[in-house]
Amino acid sequence: MKKILFFIILIPSLLFGEPIFSDNAYLESVNENPITLENNRENKSYTIPAIENIFFITSLWSYDRFVANEDWAIIGINSVEANFKNGPEWDHDGFVINQIAHPYSGSIYFTSARSNDLSFVESAAYTFSGSLVWEFFMENHYPSINDMITTTFGGIALGEILYRLSNLCLVEGATGGEKIVRETFSALLSPMNSINRYFGNYTYKPENSNIHYNFSIGGNTQFVADKIDKMDSMVFTEFMLEYNEMFQDKSIRKPFDYFKIAIDLNLYNDNAISTISLLGHLVGREIDQDSYSVLIGAFQHYFYTNNDILRLSSSSIGPGLEVKSRLTEKINFKAGFHLQGILLGAMDSRYLEEIRDYNFGPGYAILFYMKFGRKDAIEISLTSKYFFFDNVVGIATSEQIWIANSRIDFPVYRNLRFGLEYNYFDRSEKYDEYADVSGYGDLLRTFLTISF
């Protein structure tokens, strides 16, 4: 029963979370033998995921065409020919559709291949090919450059995360109600993983994976240029999750052997999903010494924020440095520095309204954080995110965005903590044909956090 309750609490946290750095004896005992799925067939299948992706694409198109009656879903030989003749361009879809819905579609393509025993790289190829098929064949709009980028790169990251978490829900030998709960949550996280497991020949393979996660609820007060911005709701929730330890003492690592994800929700507000932050380790080398450990490698990062101060989304890849040290016998210290190349960023525009209300462009990001303290006492964390975008689609502009965060957590009782957080947003927009714009805002939070 404890395991059932554990996963009932776990799954919502998987959907909305940023990680904590803590040791938890009960959690480790529960996850002592989590499993992944291994195909019993002698050869992995390249054909089955191709068929599954075609079925998913045609099913989604059928809904859009015959249920939703979307005009863009009216296709034929002429529309396909026009798409190939004209070639890709930038589309005008809404911010949430482009930055959240498309990455999720890409995750379906990815997990279809991954759950047929294909590697991370091979599954990534299916993600890109699935996006190509949809853009060139399933819409009468010309193929979208930004959709192919966000579907592919966002789908790869989200797909690998959902695939691993889906497997983590399962344990060998579960029966009765426990098995139903586990199977249901596993299917919700990764439908293609469950479908392939039900109809394929798969067995359980034990894996040593540990997760740490927490849930926060509290209130916030938002300021825009020193003026309180009236909001429908001042209540927010936050889910945080860390998959495995950053420092694993492994000579060989696979992509996303470590990742952390955070999702913030605004209750009773139009911008329900206010923030998504994802960081996954791709490749690298760990250096361990008696007093410290260092991890050097490449990381993939996805960041999305949508509030009354700022709307921003970026998919990026780049080098990173992580450090862990023990300052004293009881005080731990962690820090990270990442330089990320932004493949494609999207940010709201003060002037663009008729076609879309946001710009596209590449750029780079500098991410830094440090955290110190002890689990049974005060913990302090500082985070800085700097973004630079050279917008090439929309209105020509260069944009700089800085997001700073400071947070302090106090122990209350066992795994319950009380926290205070301050967020600062600063942006500067330089236009070629319009007046330059700058602005800033603040966000204050108080909350309670329960950790698992």
Side-chain angles (χ1 to χ4, degrees):
M1 180 59 67
K2 287 184 178 180
K3 292 184 178 181
I4 295 176
L5 293 175
F6 170 79
F7 278 98
I8 289 176
I9 298 172
L10 166 64
I11 295 304
S13 301
L14 300 183
L15 298 176
F16 310 103
E18 178 172 11
I20 59 172
F21 298 92
S22 63
D23 295 323
N24 189 303
Y26 171 67
L27 181 63
E28 292 178 355
S29 66
V30 172
N31 287 288
E32 184 176 356
N33 285 307
I35 59 92
T36 56
L37 302 176
E38 185 178 70
N39 198 332
N40 262 348
R41 294 170 297 190
E42 294 182 359
N43 298 312
K44 57 188 176 183
S45 174
Y46 293 96
T47 304
I48 292 177
I51 296 174
E52 289 174 342
N53 283 343
I54 291 174
F55 179 79
F56 169 71
I57 288 171
T58 54
S59 298
L60 184 59
W61 170 82
S62 296
Y63 173 84
D64 292 328
R65 174 66 180 88
F66 300 109
V67 179
N69 293 317
E70 298 286 357
D71 292 338
W72 53 260
I74 302 175
I75 59 174
I77 295 177
N78 291 337
S79 64
V80 174
E81 182 180 355
N83 286 342
F84 277 94
K85 183 177 180 179
N86 184 81
E89 62 179 21
W90 303 93
D91 74 14
H92 311 313
D93 290 342
F95 189 81
V96 176
I97 292 295
N98 273 340
Q99 308 308 318
I100 294 183
H102 282 292
Y104 181 76
S105 296
S107 74
I108 299 294
Y109 305 141
F110 183 91
T111 54
S112 176
R114 200 75 170 91
S115 57
N116 274 284
D117 207 27
L118 271 64
S119 69
F120 178 86
V121 175
E122 291 170 330
S123 301
Y126 278 77
T127 310
F128 179 60
S129 62
S131 180
L132 284 179
V133 170
W134 178 271
E135 294 298 328
F136 280 88
F137 291 90
M138 310 310 292
E139 296 183 4
N140 58 33
H141 293 165
Y142 295 142
S144 168
I145 299 173
N146 51 281
D147 285 354
M148 288 186 283
I149 294 175
T150 56
T151 300
T152 300
F153 289 95
I156 290 171
L158 184 60
E160 181 67 13
I161 287 175
L162 294 179
Y163 171 73
R164 286 174 177 262
L165 295 181
S166 174
N167 288 339
L168 195 64
C169 290
L170 305 170
V171 294
E172 187 174 10
T175 59
E178 179 183 358
K179 183 176 182 179
I180 293 175
V181 171
R182 292 181 182 276
E183 294 282 357
T184 300
F185 286 153
S186 178
L188 289 174
L189 286 168
S190 180
M192 300 310 300
N193 190 22
S194 294
I195 290 172
N196 283 317
R197 192 161 47 80
Y198 294 148
F199 294 99
N201 185 18
Y202 296 87
T203 57
Y204 295 119
K205 179 182 178 182
E207 174 192 313
N208 292 322
S209 297
N210 294 305
I211 62 170
H212 304 287
Y213 66 100
N214 63 28
F215 167 77
S216 300
I217 185 168
N220 58 39
T221 302
Q222 181 173 281
F223 301 84
V224 180
D226 294 331
K227 296 180 180 179
I228 297 180
D229 182 35
K230 302 298 183 181
M231 301 175 64
D232 295 333
S233 172
M234 305 297 286
V235 179
F236 78 95
T237 61
E238 181 181 62
F239 293 87
M240 309 181 183
L241 181 141
E242 182 179 36
Y243 181 89
N244 281 327
E245 297 290 341
M246 173 73 77
F247 300 91
Q248 302 175 15
D249 192 22
K250 282 185 175 182
S251 58
I252 299 177
R253 292 173 179 246
K254 296 180 181 179
F256 285 82
D257 269 356
Y258 169 84
F259 64 80
K260 57 184 178 180
I261 182 172
I263 302 181
D264 290 2
L265 300 179
N266 287 323
L267 303 182
Y268 313 110
N269 188 276
D270 292 338
N271 300 325
I273 302 177
S274 62
T275 304
I276 301 174
S277 179
L278 184 158
L279 181 68
H281 179 247
L282 299 176
V283 295
R285 180 184 179 186
E286 183 175 332
I287 302 172
D288 294 307
Q289 300 294 330
D290 293 338
S291 59
Y292 67 90
S293 296
V294 177
L295 175 64
I296 303 173
F299 296 79
Q300 182 173 355
H301 184 254
Y302 173 79
F303 182 75
Y304 169 95
T305 187
N306 187 2
N307 54 49
D308 294 330
I309 300 175
L310 175 69
R311 285 192 302 160
L312 165 68
S313 176
S314 69
S315 295
S316 56
I317 295 176
L321 173 69
E322 294 280 340
V323 178
K324 178 181 73 171
S325 178
R326 186 178 293 275
L327 298 180
T328 67
E329 184 177 348
K330 295 184 178 181
I331 298 179
N332 296 319
F333 172 80
K334 288 187 176 182
F337 179 83
H338 298 261
L339 178 60
Q340 299 276 295
I342 298 174
L343 308 171
L344 181 68
M347 64 296 303
D348 60 321
S349 171
R350 307 298 176 91
Y351 298 109
L352 191 62
E353 295 181 356
E354 296 182 359
I355 300 177
R356 74 175 80 81
D357 58 355
Y358 60 97
N359 293 313
F360 287 122
Y364 65 89
I366 301 174
L367 314 176
F368 170 78
Y369 80 90
M370 64 178 181
K371 181 174 183 177
F372 55 93
R374 45 186 284 186
K375 180 60 182 175
D376 58 348
I378 296 175
E379 289 184 322
I380 299 174
S381 61
L382 302 172
T383 304
S384 174
K385 298 181 176 74
Y386 172 81
F387 299 88
F388 176 84
F389 297 98
D390 185 14
N391 298 325
V392 295
V393 181
I395 299 177
T397 178
S398 61
E399 185 160 353
Q400 300 179 70
I401 298 171
W402 181 44
I403 303 174
N405 168 280
S406 60
R407 172 171 172 161
I408 183 169
D409 291 89
F410 303 89
V412 177
Y413 179 73
R414 292 187 178 180
N415 291 340
L416 182 66
R417 302 177 71 85
F418 171 75
L420 299 171
E421 182 179 289
Y422 170 70
N423 294 272
Y424 176 77
F425 303 83
D426 186 279
R427 65 186 299 176
S428 175
E429 306 165 61
K430 296 186 180 297
Y431 291 88
D432 293 343
E433 300 177 357
Y434 297 86
D436 295 343
V437 178
S438 61
Y440 64 92
D442 307 84
L443 186 65
L444 304 177
R445 286 179 164 182
T446 59
F447 50 87
L448 289 173
T449 300
I450 184 168
S451 305
F452 301 91

